[in-house]
Amino acid sequence: MSNLWERVERLIGSDNLDRLAEKKVGLVGLGSGGGFVALSLAMSGVGHFLLVDKDELESGNVLRHVADLRYVGENKAVAVADLIRQRNPDAQIEVREGLIEDHWDCLDDVDILVAAVDNEQVKYAINEQCLRKRVSASYAGVYERGEGGDHVIIKPFDGPCYACWSEATREGVKIALNPVGALDYGMIGEMGTLDAEPGLWVNVTKVAGIQTDLIINELLRGTSAHEEMPANTLIVANSYMDIIEGQESEPHSSLWIEIARDPDCLVCGERLKQGVSLLTQADSASITLEDLAASGLTTDIVFEEEVD
């Protein structure tokens, strides 16, 4: 490592810095949050990146993005790749311009995936692919007007999948947290995205900075630099807000909450696993929800037909 990394090496040690240099992080969505996470990971020593985005940077994005006016009109993934090289010239970067649905093969060799897209349906698709490919994934959200946000790392079949987790934290669903109450945040809008008016750049980067830190901690699992977190979900309040229903959290406070796996989850639950075991004894990763529906094992599940 060059003296560019002297201070990072002093903090985490040369062995851990070398470990990060070998890690590959995939990022789907290089908008305000994803772009910040990508650049921050590169500046922390991560050496390999897979960047996926279909959109071009617009002038209206610039005040909430790591890329500036020089990059307007360029694909966001291309712009962020250039910024990474300016900070970490040794970084190896693969760029995919387009929808993640057309590039599932890019998940085959990543150590962790950052799902930095707004659309919940896309996140559900990413969740299924990550379960199938046994890839851990990081999800973060910023709430309405930047009043707060949350983060979770989903580990395949170790705790909740994203479908379980979002059932507890999205669409206005409240979960029992005896004896203190229920969660009360996160609404999904008509377009299938987290219903929110955008906050300031500083509100986005606060959540994205925490997300970056927790991703690095996960990449260093098994080393002296890793710290075990108290739960799987961190909720951050930027202003006064009810994280726990009926209990107002103070500005710039946070709360760790453990979201459990739903045993009846149609994606990762026991019923799905039982169906898989009946269909195949060889390769459970090859069985899809459509396979189970066709098998008759899930006759109480309705699958919507795709619209051309």
Side-chain angles (χ1 to χ4, degrees):
M1 287 284 180
S2 70
N3 59 7
L4 182 68
W5 300 100
E6 180 180 353
R7 294 190 179 185
V8 179
E9 183 178 26
R10 193 186 310 163
L11 177 64
I12 67 174
S14 59
D15 289 345
N16 291 330
L17 184 56
D18 289 343
R19 181 187 179 105
L20 287 178
E22 295 301 318
K23 294 295 184 179
K24 184 174 183 179
V25 177
L27 294 102
V28 180
L30 278 303
S32 56
F36 183 91
V37 171
L39 189 57
S40 299
L41 288 171
M43 294 166 66
S44 301
V46 173
H48 299 263
F49 293 88
L50 183 284
L51 310 180
V52 184
D53 202 300
K54 66 178 180 63
D55 294 328
E56 293 181 353
L57 186 74
E58 299 177 355
S59 59
N61 303 140
V62 169
L63 294 183
R64 286 163 39 85
H65 203 278
V66 291
D68 56 38
L69 289 169
R70 294 171 297 173
Y71 297 95
V72 170
E74 288 197 31
N75 177 275
K76 291 178 181 178
V78 173
V80 171
D82 184 61
L83 290 170
I84 289 174
R85 295 186 185 99
Q86 298 302 318
R87 301 299 185 97
N88 186 348
D90 295 325
Q92 302 297 308
I93 309 168
E94 180 183 356
V95 172
R96 301 284 187 98
E97 298 184 45
L99 297 168
I100 182 58
E101 293 91 331
D102 298 326
H103 298 281
W104 292 126
D105 64 292
C106 71
L107 305 186
D108 291 341
D109 62 346
V110 298
D111 293 292
I112 192 168
L113 181 74
V114 180
V117 295
D118 291 330
N119 191 287
E120 288 295 304
Q121 293 302 318
V122 177
K123 288 181 182 179
Y124 272 68
I126 289 172
N127 176 57
E128 288 198 39
Q129 290 294 326
C130 284
L131 291 176
R132 189 168 293 129
K133 295 175 180 289
R134 303 298 194 270
V135 175
S136 294
S138 164
Y139 299 85
V142 178
Y143 304 151
E144 184 177 3
R145 301 183 66 84
E147 69 174 358
D150 56 36
H151 175 259
V152 64
I153 293 178
I154 300 295
K155 302 173 186 178
F157 304 107
D158 179 12
C161 74
Y162 184 76
C164 299
W165 185 86
S166 63
E167 182 73 10
T169 61
R170 299 288 186 258
E171 301 183 73
V173 175
K174 299 177 181 180
I175 63 169
L177 287 174
N178 294 327
V180 293
L183 289 177
D184 183 19
Y185 63 93
M187 298 290 291
I188 301 300
E190 293 180 359
M191 300 304 293
T193 60
L194 192 61
D195 193 10
E197 296 179 23
L200 296 174
W201 170 236
V202 68
N203 302 138
V204 175
T205 58
K206 181 176 182 178
V207 175
I210 292 171
Q211 181 180 19
T212 303
D213 191 35
L214 293 174
I215 290 169
I216 292 170
N217 187 62
E218 185 63 26
L219 293 174
L220 292 174
R221 179 173 291 278
T223 74
S224 59
H226 174 78
E227 293 183 327
E228 201 63 40
M229 295 297 110
N232 58 22
T233 300
L234 180 63
I235 305 172
V236 179
N238 291 328
S239 59
Y240 286 105
M241 64 177 289
D242 288 347
I243 296 177
I244 299 297
E245 186 179 24
Q247 298 182 25
E248 189 173 62
S249 295
E250 296 181 344
H252 306 295
S253 62
S254 60
L255 180 67
W256 283 99
I257 291 179
E258 185 72 18
I259 302 296
R261 182 181 63 83
D262 178 4
D264 294 322
C265 174
L266 301 183
V267 180
C268 73
E270 291 300 329
R271 180 165 45 176
L272 180 64
K273 290 182 181 179
Q274 292 168 5
V276 168
S277 67
L278 290 173
L279 286 173
T280 179
Q281 299 296 322
D283 182 12
S284 62
S286 67
I287 303 299
T288 67
L289 291 177
E290 289 77 11
D291 294 329
L292 290 177
S295 74
L297 293 171
T298 56
T299 54
D300 57 334
I301 303 173
V302 177
F303 292 87
E304 295 183 359
E305 294 183 0
E306 293 186 2
V307 179
D308 294 331

